[in-house]
Amino acid sequence: MSKALGTAVGRTSRRRLLRLAGGGITMAALGAGLTGCEDELATGGEGSTPPPRSASPEDGKAPEDGKAPTPLWTKSTSAQTYGDNDELVAVDGVVIASGDPLVAFDGASGEERWSLPDGAVPGAPLLLGDGTLYLESGRYDGSVAGYVPGSGKEAWRSRLGKEYRQPRPVAVDGEQVYVIAEILEADGSSHTNVIAALNSRTGKVAWKEQRDLGTQQNGVHAAVRGRYLVYTDFKNNLTVRDTATGRQVWTQKTTKTSYGPFVVHRDLVIVPQGQRLQAFALSDGSEKWSVRSEEFTAFREPSLVEDVLYIADSGRTLWAVEPGTGRKIWQSTALKDAGGQVPRQFVKVGGTLYGATDLDEQGGVHAFDAKAGGLRWTFNDRSGDHHAWLVATDGKRVFALHGKKLHALPA
């Protein structure tokens, strides 16, 4: 199973620091570390997004336009997330949020199915591939583990080697798990890192390649498509490697990055870079198409859902784009008209597109008409928690995680 969305690895991204700032940490305390992150602040302001209504939808059906649903169930969790898309997954009848202990809830009832102490590093991605959930071990013992999502039983474990510290999975396909790890020096320090592939059946190292000096193991987003492993990092690098050998196919500097996921579609990698959304050929890095937002606005993180690319810009315009050509399917200013927050993660069930926002005020989970982008309703638990919202779906329900609260909404 190839990943279509990038995955963030590491716990100190600039986007995450901005979320903490939203929770009460002063900008002065963050200092120069926020330089160059203006795009992350342009998430909208005061508005009139309607609050949740008290009545539940009839027979668990989705609510009417303008009426946000009451959750089917809400649970307190051990979630320790940082707002990256792969920190919440719904699979095999359960929904799982990154945290310690790692807990799986029954999607229908909200009852706890299983719990795994030290199962994963809080905030680390939950990577799904070939029916297995792959995790960076919460034991901090240098291992990567695979579990059966429905039961929590361990199915696979691998170690890169004693000369490497804390291998972090970044992507997975049907044959390999791709990890980045620090290379240890004799004194226990580390100045370089390695990217490697682990066989998802045997756990053996298929290949490993040292990355350039100055690159970081934190803040990497990655995806796999066929023979190509694609990743970005904080150094504005866009890199493609051969999945069979680890050989670098090409790398280039991006002009600007959103510090978030990108999209891989067929033979293209699509990356938001400020005011431009660009598509590059996986084979050689040549530009295939480019879309530009309005002046003084910037694109946020994209999502590829049912072969349509959905993305919002900081001017609160929602775009639906044909990923192969860059052709605009539709644009909607409904969110701007309602004064709502900008969504940065999308899932779709039937004719409804659900978008999760970053900071809480006038945000939450927006429900849009997937055909034209009209805003149907916005759900917000009014907790005031500074954590970003995350969404996942099992096709029947939409799961919304906000801080420690996990809500199941009717789809």
Side-chain angles (χ1 to χ4, degrees):
M1 175 179 176
S2 296
K3 285 180 59 56
L5 294 176
T7 300
V9 176
R11 301 173 62 185
T12 56
S13 78
R14 299 183 184 186
R15 180 157 53 93
R16 289 169 178 168
L17 289 175
L18 286 166
R19 292 200 183 98
L20 294 176
I25 297 177
T26 66
M27 298 300 285
L30 295 177
L34 294 181
T35 302
C37 293
E38 293 85 356
D39 296 347
E40 297 304 320
L41 300 176
T43 54
E46 297 294 330
S48 57
T49 306
R53 305 299 176 93
S54 58
S56 298
E58 182 182 356
D59 297 326
K61 295 180 180 179
E64 298 176 0
D65 286 2
K67 296 181 180 180
T70 295
L72 301 171
W73 53 260
T74 295
K75 292 289 182 179
S76 294
T77 75
S78 59
Q80 294 173 270
T81 62
Y82 296 87
D84 288 308
N85 294 354
D86 287 321
E87 294 174 317
L88 179 70
V89 297
V91 60
D92 290 352
V94 299
V95 56
I96 308 168
S98 181
D100 185 15
L102 192 68
V103 179
F105 295 94
D106 184 277
S109 67
E111 297 300 316
E112 182 179 310
R113 282 269 204 96
W114 54 263
S115 178
L116 190 65
D118 300 324
V121 175
L126 309 176
L127 300 183
L128 295 168
D130 199 24
T132 303
L133 175 67
Y134 293 98
L135 308 170
E136 176 185 356
S137 176
R139 301 173 187 173
Y140 298 94
D141 58 359
S143 67
V144 180
Y147 297 89
V148 178
S151 66
K153 293 182 179 179
E154 184 175 313
W156 178 91
R157 186 172 291 271
S158 178
R159 286 177 173 80
L160 186 59
K162 293 183 178 180
E163 65 271 33
Y164 305 102
R165 179 167 53 199
Q166 211 160 320
R168 301 174 178 182
V170 295
V172 61
D173 59 22
E175 297 181 358
Q176 296 179 148
V177 181
Y178 304 90
V179 301
I180 289 181
E182 298 174 345
I183 301 174
L184 289 175
E185 304 293 338
D187 61 359
S189 64
S190 178
H191 310 289
T192 54
N193 60 89
V194 66
I195 187 165
L198 306 174
N199 187 286
S200 58
R201 292 183 297 276
T202 66
K204 293 181 178 180
V205 179
W207 52 259
K208 54 187 175 183
E209 294 287 335
Q210 182 171 328
R211 298 177 69 214
D212 294 341
L213 186 67
T215 57
Q216 301 175 357
Q217 67 277 9
N218 293 325
V220 172
H221 289 75
V224 186
R225 176 67 66 194
R227 57 174 291 197
Y228 299 111
L229 170 65
V230 192
Y231 57 93
T232 58
D233 59 33
F234 281 162
K235 297 292 185 179
N236 289 9
N237 296 307
L238 173 62
T239 303
V240 174
R241 290 184 180 271
D242 188 296
T243 56
T245 65
R247 178 184 61 86
Q248 184 170 289
V249 180
W250 57 267
T251 187
Q252 64 184 40
K253 289 289 184 180
T254 55
T255 56
K256 200 168 186 178
T257 178
S258 67
Y259 303 105
F262 54 86
V263 159
V264 172
H265 174 72
R266 297 180 182 173
D267 58 349
L268 298 176
V269 52
I270 305 167
V271 184
Q273 300 186 72
Q275 195 178 348
R276 297 180 71 192
L277 181 66
Q278 290 178 281
F280 303 97
L282 285 173
S283 59
D284 59 12
S286 59
E287 183 179 305
K288 293 303 182 181
W289 58 258
S290 177
V291 173
R292 186 177 293 271
S293 64
E294 293 184 4
E295 191 175 7
F296 306 121
T297 65
F299 282 111
R300 303 301 302 275
E301 297 95 326
S303 294
L304 184 65
V305 186
E306 297 180 3
D307 285 336
V308 176
L309 188 150
Y310 297 100
I311 191 168
D313 63 41
S314 58
R316 290 181 284 182
T317 296
L318 182 62
W319 303 58
V321 176
E322 187 177 272
T325 64
R327 182 183 67 85
K328 179 178 65 179
I329 300 172
W330 53 255
Q331 275 182 299
S332 171
T333 60
L335 194 62
K336 182 189 300 185
D337 298 338
Q341 280 276 19
V342 177
R344 40 151 299 277
Q345 182 197 11
F346 299 93
V347 298
K348 182 173 176 284
V349 183
T352 302
L353 179 71
Y354 301 88
T357 71
D358 248 345
L359 304 179
D360 185 54
E361 187 177 1
Q362 299 307 126
V365 175
H366 301 306
F368 301 96
D369 171 16
K371 290 184 177 180
L375 180 62
R376 291 179 169 171
W377 49 260
T378 298
F379 171 80
N380 193 307
D381 58 14
R382 302 305 179 195
S383 68
D385 192 293
H386 68 271
H387 285 84
W389 287 80
L390 293 174
V391 288
T393 183
D394 60 3
K396 300 177 181 178
R397 293 158 289 266
V398 173
F399 303 103
L401 180 68
H402 188 214
K404 299 287 186 182
K405 296 294 185 182
L406 178 62
H407 310 279
L409 306 177

